Amino acid sequence: TLGGLVTISAYHVMPMILGIEIISLSSYILVAAKMDKWSAEASIKYLIYGAFTTALTLFALSLLYPVAGMHIFHGEWATQFMMSEYPFK
């Protein structure tokens, strides 16, 4: 719940990523909840996969930031993007 609230109320990229990571932590715990050999292995693999995808996402955002010149999700640009019927013409 907390991760969803952080993600929804984020105006910047980093709180959004933090909220998504808080959401994924509960998934890691649920995978390891059975407490046997297979669930422990699955949770470690899932944690490594999640760390890799988070690193890849942050790397992609670090490449996108200089091109876009902004990291804020509100304002005129976001309003025009969300209100347009077909944003990718």
Side-chain angles (χ1 to χ4, degrees), residues 23-85:
I23 292 171
S24 66
L25 283 176
S26 63
S27 306
Y28 302 149
I29 293 169
L30 285 173
V31 169
K34 196 172 179 183
M35 300 294 273
D36 64 347
K37 184 176 108 173
W38 300 107
S39 62
E41 180 183 354
S43 64
I44 294 295
K45 288 180 181 178
Y46 191 38
L47 181 68
I48 291 170
Y49 177 72
F52 177 74
T53 56
T54 301
L56 192 64
T57 302
L58 290 174
F59 178 69
L61 288 173
S62 72
L63 294 177
L64 186 64
Y65 175 69
V67 174
M70 65 179 74
H71 63 291
I72 300 173
F73 292 136
H74 60 85
E76 186 177 326
W77 175 82
T79 305
Q80 287 177 356
F81 181 76
M82 288 183 213
M83 295 304 220
S84 64
E85 187 174 342

Side-chain angles (χ1 to χ4, degrees), residues 8-25:
I8 289 172
S9 63
Y11 284 114
H12 298 278
V13 175
M14 290 310 292
M16 183 189 70
I17 299 294
L18 181 67
I20 292 171
E21 287 303 311
I22 292 171
I23 292 171
S24 66
L25 283 176

